[in-house]
Structure formats: structure tokens, C-alpha cells
Amino acid sequence: MSRSALPRLAVMVSGRGRNLQALHTACADGRIPATIAGVVSSRTNAAALIYAREAGLRSICVAAGGIERSAYDAALIDALQSLQPDIIAMAGFMRIVGDGFIEAFRGRLLNIHPSLLPKYPGLHTHRRALEAGDVEHGATVHFVTEALDGGPRVIQASVPVRPDDDETTLAARVLDDVELKLFPQVMAWMARGELCQRDDVAMFRGAVLSSPLTADALESAFR
Ligand code: GRF
């Protein structure tokens, strides 16, 4: 009897690849019952690509420079479709994707955003939290829709902002204490079929998520 193939997880990157590394490790140790189908980067010089190649992961670069939006989206769709992904993790992918891309992969697209959405959609979230004097900050995993950073939220968690924090220290705490835990957990739920997007809501274990899950929902293997 043939073993059913594991779900295929594609990861979209532009930067260091810390989220990619966490997802890959969690797939390798079985916490995420999926296999990494490949890595797609928007930047040829992304450190994430170096990690991917050293880890023996298939990697594709769709360089963002110099081509207009619809041509870029078409190239990105082709790259992702070549990996035949069941799930796509946007892990620090720093390009805004077009409606055509979202339509092509609707329901399979999850993004990690470094803020407690709906606060601070867009860029420079840590700086904005510091400038606002927030006492807490964090990250959110959400399904990707046409609304920038506005898709159905799945889970979010926070860390304290410390008086001596700057953008670097705060970003590191959010990454290490929140992002690298939430994203692998969400991918495990997706791979097990416990999480899905239905129209414009997230469904978790058969119930609509009217508000995002919190860190309390993290299973022990992801804490
Ligand atoms: C993460 O902080 C993510 O929230 C943001 O970009 C960063 C990516 O970091 N969108 P890495 O490439 O996963 O290290």
C-alpha cells in the first residue's frame, strides 16, 4: 500500500530566512507533518536562499527588480505552481502580491506579520509601536487576501516592550518569542487539515475564528 504523500509546503522569502529555518526544522523533526516543496525568493541576495541551498531545498528566485507588477505576478505564479504546493508560507516576503496571485492560491496562503493586527499593517511596525509608546507588541499569522495584511487572522501573540528597546531589540524579541513559534504551529494545523479559510473567515477545528487564537492555543511542541 503506497504511503499517502505528505502535504507540500512552499516558503516565500526575501530576507534572512529565520522563519524558513524554523519551518524547515519543524518539518524535518515531524512537528509539521509536511514536506518543504521549495523556497521562492524575491531577492537574489537573500540569506534565506543560501540557507535553502545548503539545506538541499529546491529554491527559485523571482527577482523583483525592473519588471511591472502583472508580469512579476505571472512569473511568481509559475514559480509557485512548479512546486505544486498545498500550503504557502509568506515568511518575510517583501513584495506586495497582486490579486491574480491571491486568486491562484486562495486558501493556501498564510503570512506572518510583525504586529498585533489590525494595529500597524504595512511596514516599520516595530518603529511605529515604539513611537506610539506601546507597552506590548507582537506578531500575527493570517490568511492572505486582497486586503493588505487584512486577511482572516488565525493567531497572534505579544511580548512586552521594554523601556530600553530600540527597533532591533524589539524586532528580535518578536521574532524569537512569537514568530518562530506561531508560524510552525499554524503550518502544523494546516498540514493536519485542522485549519482552513472559508470565504473571508478562518475555520479552526470546524468553528469560525471570530477572533484570532492566542499563545494559549500553542501545543507544547511549539511553545
Ligand atoms: C520577519 O520579522 C517577518 O515578520 C517580517 O520579515 C521578517 C522576516 O524575517 N515580515 P526572516 O526572513 O524570516 O528572518
Side-chain angles (χ1 to χ4, degrees):
M1 180 174 71
S2 69
R3 271 161 40 90
S4 62
L6 285 172
R8 296 169 59 81
L9 169 61
V11 186
M12 299 173 70
V13 298
S14 299
R16 291 158 305 182
R18 293 283 311 282
N19 277 285
L20 163 64
Q21 193 170 330
L23 294 170
H24 177 225
T25 300
C27 288
D29 68 26
R31 285 177 296 142
I32 300 176
T35 181
I36 300 284
V39 178
V40 174
S41 176
S42 67
R43 294 182 182 152
T44 51
N45 63 347
L49 276 181
I50 298 169
Y51 172 84
R53 288 178 184 136
E54 286 174 355
L57 301 175
R58 189 168 164 205
S59 59
I60 304 170
C61 183
V62 184
I67 55 176
E68 49 92 28
R69 165 88 60 116
S70 62
Y72 185 81
D73 264 18
L76 203 57
I77 290 170
D78 288 348
L80 266 299
Q81 284 179 336
S82 74
L83 298 176
Q84 297 179 298
D86 300 295
I87 314 165
I88 299 170
M90 301 181 83
F93 191 73
M94 297 306 281
R95 279 272 308 195
I96 293 176
V97 291
D99 294 358
F101 178 88
I102 290 167
E103 190 50 43
F105 300 108
R106 192 183 305 280
R108 292 182 276 173
L109 284 169
L110 288 122
N111 182 49
I112 186 147
H113 180 76
S115 82
L116 296 170
L117 290 170
K119 285 183 86 169
Y120 313 133
L123 298 174
H124 311 301
T125 65
H126 312 299
R127 181 193 314 165
R128 292 153 71 189
L130 289 167
E131 287 170 352
D134 292 352
V135 295
E136 65 171 8
H137 185 45
T140 304
V141 181
H142 64 93
F143 282 100
V144 177
T145 65
E146 289 76 359
L148 176 68
D149 298 329
R153 292 172 291 152
V154 175
I155 188 169
Q156 66 184 197
S158 63
V159 292
V161 179
R162 299 208 171 102
D164 58 346
D165 267 330
D166 60 18
E167 266 189 88
T168 304
T169 58
L170 184 53
R173 187 173 316 118
V174 169
L175 181 67
D176 289 338
D177 296 357
V178 180
E179 296 182 37
L180 300 184
K181 297 176 180 178
L182 265 55
F183 222 5
Q185 170 72 84
V186 168
M187 292 304 150
W189 287 329
M190 286 294 288
R192 296 185 214 138
E194 294 180 286
L195 176 69
C196 67
Q197 177 186 346
R198 188 172 301 162
D199 301 323
D200 213 25
V201 296
M203 302 287 294
F204 181 61
R205 293 176 180 158
V208 171
L209 280 181
S210 50
S211 58
L213 298 166
T214 68
D216 293 345
L218 289 173
E219 297 162 350
S220 56
F222 296 96
R223 288 181 183 276

